[in-house]
Amino acid sequence: MLVSLPTPDDFVHFASRGFFAYDWQDVHRTGGFSRRYEMLSRPEIPMHVSEIPEQFQSLLRSTALAGLRFADSLTIDVRGYFHCEPAA
């Protein structure tokens, strides 16, 4: 875990299975918004897409964020990968 949470169970489980886990923490803030997904947990041994059941691999590859390496990204600004409407 990279942060302290009251109930981190889901994030611990993701990491224990080899997945990086991010969350939109801005929903809990009243100021100082990051406007990014923030890594909350990271695996000791990351899972590679080739280790996931074959029926899911094409979906995962089709939704990959070009040039993004989870191991090197404590935050992810999705606006750089998708067309997003400005907040009203």
Side-chain angles (χ1 to χ4, degrees):
M1 290 294 299
L2 300 178
V3 297
S4 177
L5 298 171
T7 53
D9 299 349
D10 291 337
F11 297 104
V12 170
H13 290 290
F14 290 141
S16 72
R17 289 174 173 81
F19 295 101
F20 293 86
Y22 292 80
D23 193 36
W24 188 265
Q25 293 292 295
D26 283 357
V27 72
H28 305 291
R29 296 182 175 124
T30 57
F33 300 109
S34 73
R35 293 181 172 75
R36 297 168 181 261
Y37 282 90
E38 300 170 35
M39 186 187 298
L40 299 187
S41 64
R42 65 183 320 140
E44 286 186 37
I45 301 171
M47 180 179 282
H48 188 272
V49 69
S50 64
E51 300 174 84
I52 294 173
E54 195 170 317
Q55 68 264 31
F56 301 113
Q57 290 182 24
S58 63
L59 173 65
L60 291 172
R61 287 189 174 103
S62 71
T63 59
L65 304 177
L68 178 76
R69 287 183 31 88
F70 292 122
D72 300 331
S73 302
L74 292 176
T75 64
I76 300 173
D77 182 357
V78 296
R79 295 171 296 181
Y81 298 96
F82 302 100
H83 173 73
C84 299
E85 296 294 326

